């Protein structure tokens, strides 16, 4: 199908959906179909966009990344940082009518800690026990101090699921998720839409929007065209080439604000060719990060040296951006041929970026074949280490531990390279237990010197959060984690 036909097909379907929607239906265009709507199993930013509407968390973040109350109204840290006691909001119910109390919180946290395949296990590995003190009080006992805990509970690890619904659905819970959030899951059609209705009984007041519909458009041009046509009222992300056009268009508003994540390339160290460290270093040495930031992203990204973006607590001038060095790349190859497959997802930006990588690699005589798969498939193959190299980033976490530990600790949930280094394991565990951020930064810098040398991953750029909406959409908050909270958003 030609691109013009592809655009028309999407626009036609989207317009039919919009025509049947009420005045208070908000349709949002995403860049992928959320793979897993289960807080325990999710590993994708696009999942979080939807789940933040369905599930409440123990804690949340404000625009300054400060931890604020949510289900937990207050908390105390005692016993040298080993005991966390949370007071819970009273009168909260899940959307299936069951009560959200301390027993439900214990169930949700224990589920995240123990469920087979849970991506939350490392985030909560320091938790030794979750105890119900009374109906509105829950206590977490840690095996060792864990500074990131509060920040971790502002995300999926702190999302509380309905015990009744989770037990009933079992492995199918991701297809019928039930929480206590401002919106209720209604239905989904894979690769087409996810539909949520407002929770009219929400403890913090009913949302202003009656219905929230998410639609996946992997192609940025299709997302842009649907916004222009009125088929959707908001899109995220915006392709960089479209930012100036939308900014200058009086019908639309653009949110362009700093993020806390990173993007780059994984190397599968468990098999040839990238079980050879020299080959990994060779590929990383060909990448011109400054050129990518300018030519593909129109200056909307920042070249990356490591996992911690500028302005975040663990950012350090000791970790510098790698400059392209073709001579070094050739030296690392040692006269040996290198060819591999680079796995990525469809989309105008990802396609262009993959082609630019391909050309940069070729300067050192490295041959890369580009393979594109749907985002959920890419995640599955990444988890199974069924790839040579792949383009995949991270949306970022407010505490720096969330940007490094799970990626490089042995058998970490997000360690898609299959990387293992006992020295790095020890350093990352040490940083988790340190209270002083300056001490943690020093520890991270030592760990990063080894990780960068070993090159299981090469960082390329730090992204910004880019959201476009119609002018009548109000109440969007620029929270740096990149998640749009729709509870207080209005559409006029």
């Amino acid at each position: 199908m030609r691109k013009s036909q592809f655009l028309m097909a999407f626009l036609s379907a989207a317009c039919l959906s919009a025509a049947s929607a009420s005045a208070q239906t908000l349709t949002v265009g995403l860049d992928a179909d959320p793979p897993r709507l289960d807080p325990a199993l999710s590993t994708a930013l696009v999942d979080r966009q939807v789940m933040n509407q369905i599930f409440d968390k123990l804690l949340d973040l404000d625009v300054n990344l400060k931890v604020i109350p949510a289900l937990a109204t207050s908390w105390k840290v005692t016993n040298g940082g080993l005991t966390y006691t949370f007071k819970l909001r009273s009168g909260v119910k899940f959307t299936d009518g069951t009560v959200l109390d301390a027993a439900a919180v214990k169930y949700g946290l224990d589920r995240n800690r123990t469920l087979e395949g849970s991506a939350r296990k490392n985030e909560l590995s320091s938790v030794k026990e979750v105890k119900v003190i009374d109906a509105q009080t829950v206590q977490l006992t840690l095996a060792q101090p864990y500074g990131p805990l509060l920040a971790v509970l502002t995300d999926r690890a702190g999302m509380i699921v309905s015990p009744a619904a989770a037990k009933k659905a079992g492995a199918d819970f991701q297809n019928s998720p039930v929480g206590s959030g401002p919106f209720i899951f209604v239905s989904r059609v894979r690769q087409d839409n996810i539909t949520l209705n407002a929770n009219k009984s929400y403890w913090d007041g009913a949302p202003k929007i009656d219905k929230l519909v998410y639609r996946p458009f992997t192609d940025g041009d299709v997302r842009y065209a649907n916004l222009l046509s009125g088929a959707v009222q908001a899109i995220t992300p915006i392709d960089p080439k479209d930012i100036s056009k939308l900014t200058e268009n009086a019908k639309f508003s653009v949110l362009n604000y700093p993020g806390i994540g990173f993007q780059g390339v994984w190397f599968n160290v468990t098999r040839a060719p990238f079980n050879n460290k020299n080959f990994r270093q060779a590929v990383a040495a060909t990448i011109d990060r400054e050129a990518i930031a300018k030519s593909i992203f129109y200056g909307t990204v920042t070249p990356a040296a490591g996992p911690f973006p500028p302005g975040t607590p663990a950012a350090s001038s000791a970790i510098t951006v790698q400059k392209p060095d073709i001579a070094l790349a050739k030296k690392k190859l040692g006269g040996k041929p290198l060819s591999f497959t680079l796995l990525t997802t469809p989309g105008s930006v990802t396609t262009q970026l993959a082609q630019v990588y391909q050309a940069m690699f070729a300067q050192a005589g490295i041959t890369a074949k580009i393979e594109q798969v749907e985002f959920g498939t890419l995640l599955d193959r990444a988890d199974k280490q069924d790839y040579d190299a792949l383009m995949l980033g991270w949306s970022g976490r407010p505490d720096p531990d969330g940007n490094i530990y799970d990626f490089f600790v042995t058998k970490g949930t997000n360690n898609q390279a299959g990387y293992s280094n006992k020295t790095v394991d020890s350093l990352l565990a040490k940083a988790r237990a340190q209270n002083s951020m300056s001490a943690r930064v020093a520890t991270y810098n030592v760990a990063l010197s080894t990780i960068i040398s070993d090159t299981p991953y090469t960082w390329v750029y730090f992204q910004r959060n880019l959201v476009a909406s119609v002018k009548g959409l109000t109440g969007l908050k620029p929270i740096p984690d990149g998640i749009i909270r729709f509870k207080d958003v209005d559409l006029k």
Side-chain angles (χ1 to χ4, degrees):
M1 182 182 288
R2 292 180 303 175
K3 192 164 191 176
S4 60
Q5 293 173 313
F6 183 55
L7 280 167
M8 289 304 295
F10 267 111
L11 282 171
S12 175
C15 286
L16 285 172
S17 175
S20 63
S22 70
Q24 282 300 305
T25 293
L26 172 62
T27 304
V28 181
L30 301 174
D31 60 341
D33 190 34
R36 304 160 186 156
L37 297 182
D38 184 329
L41 303 179
S42 167
T43 58
L45 168 64
V46 73
D47 290 335
R48 296 164 69 213
Q49 295 287 10
V50 179
M51 290 194 301
N52 265 264
Q53 324 309 324
I54 299 170
F55 300 102
D56 282 322
K57 300 167 289 188
L58 280 180
L59 305 168
D60 207 349
L61 300 169
D62 66 10
V63 294
N64 298 311
L65 290 179
K66 179 184 177 182
V67 176
I68 59 175
L71 289 175
T73 57
S74 64
W75 54 92
K76 290 183 180 179
V77 183
T78 56
N79 193 22
L82 293 177
T83 303
Y84 286 70
T85 305
F86 296 90
K87 286 291 184 182
L88 303 178
R89 196 174 300 279
S90 61
V92 179
K93 290 187 176 182
F94 293 105
T95 56
D96 60 5
T98 57
V99 175
L100 196 162
D101 56 9
V105 170
K106 172 178 168 57
Y107 175 86
L109 294 176
D110 284 343
R111 182 177 185 270
N112 280 338
R113 293 170 58 220
T114 62
L115 185 70
E116 184 178 355
S118 174
R120 312 281 78 82
K121 288 182 179 180
N122 275 341
E123 297 170 355
L124 297 172
S125 61
S126 295
V127 178
K128 183 168 65 174
E129 181 184 16
V130 182
K131 183 187 296 184
V132 173
I133 304 301
D134 58 45
Q136 304 308 133
T137 310
V138 66
Q139 189 174 85
L140 278 62
T141 301
L142 309 189
Q144 60 273 328
Y146 178 47
L149 181 62
L150 294 179
V152 162
L153 295 176
T154 68
D155 192 45
R156 288 167 292 198
M159 289 181 180
I160 306 303
V161 305
S162 162
K167 291 173 184 176
K168 180 179 179 181
D172 197 49
F173 182 72
Q174 64 178 307
N175 296 316
S176 53
V178 178
S180 62
F183 290 88
I184 304 168
F185 176 84
V186 176
S187 64
R188 81 174 296 170
V189 178
R190 291 278 180 180
Q191 302 301 328
D192 184 83
N193 75 83
I194 295 171
T195 299
L196 313 179
N197 283 345
N199 179 2
K200 300 296 185 181
S201 301
Y202 189 55
W203 58 264
D204 195 29
K208 298 178 176 67
I209 298 164
D210 297 315
K211 183 178 290 187
L212 182 59
V213 180
Y214 290 97
R215 302 202 66 215
F217 304 109
T218 57
D219 190 294
D221 290 337
V222 176
R223 285 196 302 281
Y224 176 70
N226 274 270
L227 181 66
L228 292 185
S229 74
V232 303
Q233 292 77 50
I235 60 172
T236 184
I238 316 166
D239 276 5
K241 65 180 176 57
D242 297 325
I243 293 173
S244 60
K245 291 181 288 186
L246 287 168
T247 301
E248 294 165 3
N249 191 324
K251 296 181 179 179
F252 302 100
S253 297
V254 172
L255 275 178
N256 180 350
Y257 57 100
I260 52 177
F262 57 79
Q263 297 289 330
V265 178
W266 280 109
F267 300 103
N268 186 350
V269 307
T270 69
R271 73 184 195 191
F274 292 120
N275 55 356
N276 183 327
K277 180 170 75 171
N278 286 331
F279 284 176
R280 303 194 299 267
Q281 292 174 333
V283 173
T286 67
I287 299 174
D288 189 335
R289 292 155 178 81
E290 293 282 354
I292 286 171
K294 293 176 182 176
S295 64
I296 297 179
F297 294 100
Y298 298 80
T300 62
V301 304
T302 304
F308 309 125
T312 59
S316 171
S317 59
I319 306 299
T320 58
V321 176
Q322 185 175 3
K323 301 295 183 182
D325 189 334
I326 302 304
L328 174 63
K330 290 180 177 179
K331 180 180 178 181
K332 291 291 182 180
L333 292 173
K336 298 176 183 177
L338 173 58
S339 61
F340 65 94
T341 298
L342 178 64
L343 193 64
T344 184
T345 54
S348 54
V349 173
T350 51
T351 298
Q352 185 182 7
L353 181 57
Q355 291 170 345
V356 168
Y357 283 147
Q358 187 181 51
M360 290 178 174
F361 303 158
Q363 293 179 85
I366 299 169
T367 302
K369 174 187 175 183
I370 298 169
E371 180 184 0
Q372 293 186 324
V373 296
E374 184 267 330
F375 183 61
T377 302
L378 181 137
L379 289 182
D380 286 340
R381 289 183 59 178
D383 290 343
K384 295 173 184 175
Q385 291 160 3
D386 177 23
Y387 72 94
D388 295 334
L390 65 82
M391 293 163 51
L392 187 63
W394 183 242
S395 54
R397 297 296 180 269
D399 187 280
D401 179 85
N403 275 26
I404 188 170
Y405 184 90
D406 233 5
F407 298 88
F408 302 106
V409 74
T410 299
K411 296 185 178 179
T413 305
N414 292 317
N415 185 346
Q416 277 107 355
Y419 175 68
S420 179
N421 185 305
K422 291 182 179 179
T423 299
V424 170
D425 291 349
S426 177
L427 288 165
L428 295 182
K430 177 182 177 182
R432 278 189 152 188
Q434 291 174 305
N435 291 322
S436 163
M437 186 56 70
S438 61
R440 291 175 70 188
V441 170
T443 304
Y444 287 138
N445 286 351
V446 176
L448 279 170
S449 66
T450 299
I451 294 169
I452 291 169
S453 175
D454 287 346
T455 324
Y457 186 85
T458 189
W459 291 273
V460 178
Y461 62 92
F462 297 121
Q463 69 269 34
R464 293 177 68 84
N465 294 310
L466 303 170
V467 183
S469 64
V470 295
K471 281 287 187 183
L473 193 69
T474 59
L476 295 176
K477 296 178 181 178
I479 299 176
D481 67 357
I483 305 301
I484 307 173
R485 280 84 163 161
F486 282 107
K487 190 265 170 183
D488 294 320
V489 169
D490 199 3
L491 180 62
K492 297 179 180 177

